[in-house]
Amino acid sequence: MAKTATLYAPITGKAIDITEVADPTFAKKMIGDGFGIQPTDTKVVAPVTGSVELVAGTKHAIGFRTDDGMEVLVHLGIDTVEMNGAPFTISIKEGDAVTEGQPIGTMDIDMIKKAGKSTDVMTVITNTKDVVDKLEAKQGDVTAGEAVATVTLKDAMAAATDEKVSTKPKKGEGKYDELAKQIVKDVGGPENVSSVIHCITRVRFYLKDDNKANDDAIKNLDGVIDVAKAGGQYQVVIGPGVADVYDAVVKQLGPGFGDQSQQAAAPKRKAPKGFFPKIGFYLSSLIGVITASMMPIIGLLAAAGILKGFLSLATSFKWISATSTTYTIINAMGDATFYFLPILVGFTAAKRLGANQIIVAVIGGVLAYPTIIKLSATTGNIVFGVGMNATFFGIPLHVASYTYSIFPMIAAAWMASVLEPWLKKHISASVSMIVNPLLEVFLVSAAVLIIVGPVISLISAGIADGLVAVYKASPAISGLIIGGFYQCLVIFGLHWAVIPIVASQIATTGHSMINAIISATMVAQSGAVLAVFFKTHDQKLKQLAGASTLSAFSGITEPAMYGINLKYGKCFVTASIGGAVGGFLTGLLHVNMWGFAGSFIGFASFINPKGLDSSFWGFWIASLSALAVSFVLTWMFGFNESKAGNSHKGVKKVRLGSREPAIK
């Protein structure tokens, strides 16, 4: 009697025939027979009982092996490898034993849809030819863990050993070298390859000219299943042996390919025609780079923000003295992430833009170097409202503070991504290992210090003067304007000129009304992420929203802005409206602030040293109003889980309990 096996639904949704999935390679059963599911839920479970053979680095594909010898692949979405793992959480690892229906992770289907990709989940037996005699799968609505397909195994399988049925090539055999050589030749040679990555079934090339690739020749190679073109990639479909073929291809291409920076480089897209479409395209691209650069460190920022909030609370209640070494040590733990943010952002932005991550991180180190920070604290001769506090080969310039900043490093990573190919082309390979990093660090660092920083400072100074003028004319109107647009300034680092104004106000009068308005914008950001926390059913997003809310309550809003509000677009708008309301009430009620720490954690900063007055109650009225407006608008209009997706993020800068204001 023929032996049978069962495949279970890895996710809840509508089961469809494998020939109906949106990916032609899977639809033509080139990878193997199986079934597809159009998911309606986020929970992912194991489709079989067996061992985990593979978890893709980008988390979009998991391979299993059963005691029957079946090699089962679950592929989450189509072309989701390009999303670098963002939509997925996977709780298992290679070598783990699993049982059918066991939860193994989550899949953010809304994020995938927003990115313009299909959410189809494919479950296929990659060694179908060796082990499967017949596969019958039902269609229609299924629940995760429900039996979907019955597999009749070949008679020979009953006694077959794992070794006999495995079709996975052994690494180190060099058996794919010739195939890789032919593939590289037929895609136009190494000189036609910008970068190369691979997913669970395909070697994906970014070619300089797709027309140089010989499709027919590659399709006819022994070991190649098919050729596909999508997302700016030239995709060579290999199947289960893709990792080995990829390694062989990288070996053929030579140094500079296959490293992290190359793998992360995104395909170049052309801007659409028309002025406004171009503006939208470039703004979207910029926000995309900002969010991609910040996403890997959002959790760290949230944790650091919460720690800084607790430290601020401890100093407010005199539990810890701000002059003690205990304070110094704990403050370093919380502040290090923000202080060295240029280095972290340099590394992640370089990965996103395809530049050398280590070199750009070093450039971030230049901007965060202690002597540069010390130099930024000096004034120098004032020109157009900006202090010329340094010279570079005789050229007067303004050195700004770059700690807590991200936009200058985004610019640095972009410059590096443009400069590196030029250097590789014009510098001899015999000296490039030393000369290229030398020139890149010098030229990009100088460009940021001489051009980017001063330009930002000049614009910031103009904005700061305008804010002061508006506030003198009408505190309520200035509160409305500052509250509504302040966080937009934060994104691009244009808010830094406000810091000396706040510091000067506190130093001369002991209080600052502008800093009180800024505090309201911080509360508004927390209201938006709090609404997402209560509204979303996605556990990963809920965890991020919860941590971001606590961090924003503590006066650190980067996680809220970069991790959620800018990412989901409308959430940032609704948070800004809440900030405008909070700022308006702050100005209308003439709320004053006697300290630097803002948001709810900084409530003690609103206590007048001479005695409790209307500023304290005004703070609560304005803050709770900002929170409520931001929360309600986000709940009603800002966040729709069925439509939300992968977008963007924001920026900030605060040093709670330190010398900087509630700036955020």
Side-chain angles (χ1 to χ4, degrees):
M1 184 176 178
K3 187 175 181 180
T4 62
T6 304
L7 296 180
Y8 299 84
I11 198 166
T12 296
K14 180 182 178 182
I16 59 176
D17 192 87
I18 191 65
T19 60
E20 297 178 12
V21 300
D23 189 306
T25 303
F26 281 98
K28 294 177 182 178
K29 301 184 181 181
M30 293 179 179
I31 307 301
D33 201 358
F35 59 88
I37 293 180
Q38 296 171 337
T40 57
D41 192 23
T42 61
K43 184 176 73 172
V44 181
V45 304
V48 293
T49 295
S51 60
V52 180
E53 295 291 294
L54 171 71
V55 177
T58 48
K59 306 176 187 178
H60 73 293
I62 308 102
F64 305 88
R65 184 176 180 80
T66 70
D67 292 339
D68 296 320
M70 291 191 301
E71 295 175 357
V72 179
L73 171 69
V74 174
H75 197 285
L76 304 173
I78 295 172
D79 286 331
T80 47
V81 64
E82 299 168 6
M83 300 182 75
N84 203 31
F88 312 110
T89 59
I90 302 298
S91 58
I92 55 174
K93 60 183 183 300
E94 293 178 13
D96 285 353
V98 295
T99 57
E100 76 270 5
Q102 173 184 329
I104 61 173
T106 61
M107 171 182 177
D108 190 335
I109 58 179
D110 294 327
M111 181 184 292
I112 295 170
K113 289 177 181 178
K114 183 69 174 181
K117 303 182 185 299
S118 171
T119 59
D120 287 358
V121 173
M122 285 71 66
T123 303
V124 297
I125 302 173
T126 57
N127 59 343
T128 294
K129 292 182 180 179
D130 296 317
V131 305
V132 177
D133 186 40
K134 183 171 64 174
L135 186 149
E136 296 177 316
K138 68 179 183 181
Q139 299 180 31
D141 294 339
V142 295
T143 305
E146 178 181 339
V148 176
T150 300
V151 182
T152 302
L153 302 172
K154 290 184 177 180
D155 293 339
M157 278 305 300
T161 64
D162 289 355
E163 186 104 18
K164 291 177 182 176
V165 299
S166 177
T167 59
K168 185 177 180 180
K170 300 292 190 297
K171 289 188 176 182
E173 296 178 347
K175 62 189 292 185
Y176 294 107
D177 288 350
E178 185 60 32
L179 173 60
K181 182 178 179 180
Q182 284 299 125
I183 291 174
V184 171
K185 174 185 175 184
D186 291 332
V187 297
E191 63 275 9
N192 193 40
V193 179
S194 294
S195 62
V196 59
I197 61 176
H198 78 88
C199 63
I200 201 70
T201 59
R202 312 175 189 204
V203 178
R204 298 167 176 251
F205 293 90
Y206 290 114
L207 300 180
K208 298 174 183 176
D209 185 355
D210 283 358
N211 295 323
K212 292 183 179 181
N214 189 333
D215 298 358
D216 293 334
I218 295 174
K219 289 179 182 179
N220 290 327
L221 291 174
D222 185 19
V224 173
I225 297 174
D226 198 7
V227 167
K229 300 175 184 178
Q233 299 173 338
Y234 189 90
Q235 305 171 5
V236 181
V237 184
I238 302 297
V242 65
D244 301 280
V245 176
Y246 169 78
D247 289 341
V249 165
V250 169
K251 185 165 66 173
Q252 291 295 325
L253 291 173
F257 292 91
D259 57 84
Q260 277 298 99
S261 62
Q262 289 285 349
Q263 292 182 37
K268 305 293 183 183
R269 297 183 297 149
K270 292 184 178 179
K273 295 181 179 179
F275 177 76
F276 288 107
K278 273 187 171 64
I279 294 298
F281 171 84
Y282 288 123
L283 180 60
S284 175
S285 298
L286 174 61
I287 297 298
V289 172
I290 290 175
T291 54
S293 302
M294 293 301 297
M295 213 46 204
I297 55 178
I298 288 297
L300 185 59
L301 288 171
I306 294 171
L307 180 58
K308 285 172 68 66
F310 284 143
L311 184 61
S312 178
L313 188 65
T315 54
S316 296
F317 283 95
K318 310 300 181 183
W319 298 333
I320 297 177
S321 170
T323 60
S324 68
T325 54
T326 300
Y327 174 91
T328 300
I329 294 171
I330 297 177
N331 186 59
M333 295 175 185
D335 208 37
T337 302
F338 302 96
Y339 191 86
F340 296 109
L341 198 57
I343 299 174
L344 300 177
V345 173
F347 189 85
T348 55
K351 180 177 181 179
R352 174 64 174 81
L353 293 169
N356 186 299
Q357 293 172 257
I358 300 300
I359 292 178
V360 179
V362 169
I363 294 170
V366 173
L367 302 187
Y369 199 71
T371 52
I372 296 294
I373 296 172
K374 183 178 180 180
L375 189 60
S376 70
T378 60
T379 303
N381 296 323
I382 304 298
V383 179
F384 298 114
V386 176
M388 298 292 119
N389 52 10
T391 60
F392 188 73
F393 289 110
I395 302 173
L397 60 93
H398 171 75
V399 174
S401 173
Y402 295 98
T403 58
Y404 288 70
S405 65
I406 70 147
F407 189 73
M409 286 312 304
I410 299 291
W414 175 79
M415 286 186 279
S417 71
V418 174
L419 181 61
E420 284 175 12
W422 189 90
L423 291 175
K424 289 180 180 178
K425 182 178 180 180
H426 292 87
I427 303 297
S428 171
S430 61
V431 296
S432 62
M433 181 179 293
I434 297 174
V435 174
N436 288 14
L438 171 64
L439 291 176
E440 189 173 340
V441 169
F442 182 84
L443 293 175
V444 176
S445 298
V448 173
L449 290 169
I450 295 174
I451 300 173
V452 177
V455 168
I456 291 177
S457 296
L458 184 62
I459 297 174
S460 299
I463 292 174
D465 291 342
L467 293 179
V468 172
V470 173
Y471 189 87
K472 289 180 179 178
S474 171
I477 297 301
S478 70
L480 182 71
I481 296 173
I482 297 172
F485 293 99
Y486 183 79
Q487 296 298 337
C488 296
L489 302 181
V490 171
I491 295 173
F492 300 103
L494 296 173
H495 67 301
W496 274 109
V498 181
I499 293 176
I501 294 175
V502 170
S504 175
Q505 289 178 339
I506 292 178
T508 57
T509 67
H511 53 77
S512 171
M513 290 185 177
I514 290 180
N515 205 31
I517 296 172
I518 293 170
S519 175
T521 71
M522 300 160 66
V523 173
Q525 291 293 321
S526 68
V529 288
L530 185 62
V532 173
F533 172 80
F534 283 111
K535 193 170 185 180
T536 185
H537 297 290
D538 183 281
Q539 291 304 309
K540 180 180 179 181
L541 182 58
K542 187 179 286 291
Q543 291 174 6
L544 176 59
S548 298
T549 300
L550 290 176
S551 181
F553 282 170
S554 300
I556 305 295
T557 57
E558 284 96 338
M561 290 178 65
Y562 294 118
I564 295 177
N565 293 346
L566 275 173
K567 176 180 177 181
Y568 295 109
K570 290 182 180 179
C571 293
F572 185 75
V573 175
T574 54
S576 296
I577 294 174
V581 172
F584 174 78
L585 291 173
T586 298
L588 185 67
L589 299 173
H590 297 282
V591 176
N592 248 320
M593 188 173 177
W594 283 266
F596 288 96
S599 193
F600 287 126
I601 202 76
F603 70 92
S605 296
F606 295 85
I607 300 175
N608 190 331
K610 296 179 180 179
L612 207 63
D613 62 12
S614 60
S615 286
F616 182 74
W617 307 115
F619 156 73
W620 285 108
I621 292 172
S623 296
L624 291 175
S625 297
L627 181 74
V629 170
S630 179
F631 182 95
V632 172
L633 290 180
T634 303
W635 183 281
M636 296 178 64
F637 309 110
F639 181 77
N640 185 329
E641 193 156 36
S642 65
K643 295 181 180 180
N646 195 20
S647 282
H648 325 308
K649 297 157 180 128
V651 188
K652 157 226 158 202
K653 310 183 178 186
V654 186
R655 299 193 65 177
L656 268 84
S658 149
R659 295 181 182 176
E660 295 176 14
I663 293 305
K664 204 279 62 186

